[in-house]
Amino acid sequence: MLKTTAVAATFCAVAGAGIVGYGETTAQAQTQSASSTAARHGDAFSGTKKIRVGGYSVNVSCSGRSAARKPVVVLMAGGGDGLDTMAGLQKTLSEKARVCSYDRLGEGESDQPHGTQTIDDSSRILTGVLDRVTGDRQVVLAGHSLGGLIAARYAPDHRDRVEGLVLMDATIPALTAGVSKAIPDSATGMAAELRDQTIAVNEGQNPEKFIIADAKVRSAGNIPVQIIRHESQYAEVPDYGPALEEMWAEGQEQWRALSGRSRISVAAGSGHYIHVDRPDIAVKAIQRVTAQATAHS
């Protein structure tokens, strides 16, 4: 049986009065300076910690050092996954860049959402996370599956901040319509279960209570975009596997509309979890897009 998560994704001595006064003033000035620096460049912590965003506790992990003009890489996990699934990728990338990841509401160690979420809700949380960990620095968003879809939906409205995108088998723009077409109502068995489960997940029956709505792709400007899709994923449903693969390939092609600088490739030997099956491909793609974004800034 296919896991729900895979389907959802595929879908901080008293002295004299004068000295004390000076110390208090200096401490206050240092605090204000640190606060100002964090606001400009983001919190420079390394490791994992909880931050407050929009009344929620959000689990965030950051590593690596920032470099002038170089965007911060922000990794976004797929549906049903926490930032731990990005740990290997983050460790490798942070050898040459500042890299952060976070658990969206309902995932990992972050709070549960109060109710259903739309792309606007998820975007507000992402903005809050970026404000805290990247400040005014530009970012490259690298998302897997549902994380990729959210990154792609976020970028067009935040062109002042997002300088590049890497979509690792991102959930396609119109998954509900696509799976309904690929697997007709007449289907039975596992194929029918896959169709019904995917539609239910898209309607909010997932850990994030996130409604994965079909929508057209909007331009994010002339930024570098690398789209990577799996080689094989639907062997479990042989009768409809070819139709599902065609649906997925067409959906990945639709993401090209994000930018005139979009590139698409297939990760040979990879299933849906490209960053796990072929981390070499994921690392090279993110490093390439980051370099292109840096040269453009």
Side-chain angles (χ1 to χ4, degrees):
M1 293 295 291
L2 296 176
K3 295 192 302 179
T4 299
T5 53
V7 176
T10 303
F11 311 128
C12 207
V14 178
I19 297 178
V20 172
Y22 171 78
E24 290 173 347
T25 302
T26 301
Q28 182 178 20
Q30 290 174 337
T31 299
Q32 291 174 341
S33 176
S35 178
S36 178
T37 299
R40 294 197 311 272
H41 303 309
D43 193 330
F45 78 96
S46 290
T48 303
K49 74 177 190 177
K50 303 288 183 64
I51 64 174
R52 299 295 297 180
V53 178
Y56 292 100
S57 174
V58 178
N59 192 42
V60 179
S61 172
C62 288
S63 53
R65 299 178 62 181
S66 295
R69 295 177 55 247
K70 191 172 186 178
V72 177
V73 175
V74 178
L75 304 175
M76 302 177 64
D81 294 330
L83 60 79
D84 58 304
T85 65
M86 292 292 184
L89 190 59
Q90 181 168 331
K91 182 179 180 180
T92 300
L93 291 167
S94 61
E95 293 174 2
K96 298 181 179 180
R98 178 71 170 167
V99 187
C100 295
S101 57
Y102 73 106
D103 289 329
R104 292 189 299 275
L105 299 186
E107 306 286 9
E109 299 299 319
S110 288
D111 282 350
Q112 295 293 316
H114 297 318
T116 56
Q117 297 190 90
T118 65
I119 188 62
D120 291 336
D121 299 311
S122 190
S123 293
R124 280 192 289 270
I125 296 298
L126 176 53
T127 294
V129 170
L130 296 183
D131 286 345
R132 180 66 178 274
V133 303
T134 70
D136 62 0
R137 291 185 180 276
Q138 305 303 301
V139 300
V140 166
L141 300 180
H144 167 244
S145 198
L146 179 58
L149 178 141
I150 293 172
R153 298 295 191 206
Y154 183 84
D157 293 324
H158 300 84
R159 299 190 187 190
D160 59 329
R161 175 169 253 167
V162 181
E163 285 289 323
L165 288 169
V166 178
L167 308 183
M168 296 173 283
D169 223 30
T171 300
I172 62 176
L175 180 56
T176 295
V179 76
S180 297
K181 179 180 179 181
I183 304 177
D185 290 339
S186 58
T188 59
M190 182 177 290
E193 290 179 15
L194 172 58
R195 181 197 61 223
D196 295 345
Q197 188 180 51
T198 300
I199 293 173
V201 167
N202 292 353
E203 291 175 344
Q205 295 181 40
N206 56 71
E208 300 175 45
K209 301 179 182 178
F210 180 73
I211 297 174
I212 309 171
D214 289 356
K216 293 182 179 181
V217 180
R218 295 182 296 128
S219 174
N222 196 36
I223 63 173
V225 176
Q226 179 65 58
I227 303 156
I228 314 171
R229 68 176 177 86
H230 67 251
E231 181 177 48
S232 178
Q233 174 66 18
Y234 296 106
E236 296 90 343
V237 281
D239 291 343
Y240 299 96
L244 289 168
E245 291 291 1
E246 182 179 358
M247 169 204 77
W248 196 259
E250 290 177 353
Q252 298 303 310
E253 287 288 341
Q254 290 172 20
W255 286 126
R256 281 183 180 268
L258 281 163
S259 171
R261 298 170 67 193
S262 295
R263 296 176 56 186
I264 189 166
S265 62
V266 177
S270 172
H272 186 51
Y273 282 76
I274 292 170
H275 57 297
V276 176
D277 296 338
R278 292 297 309 271
D280 56 322
I281 291 177
V283 167
K284 288 179 181 178
I286 295 170
Q287 290 178 334
R288 182 169 55 250
V289 168
T290 302
Q292 292 170 342
T294 302
H296 186 262
S297 64

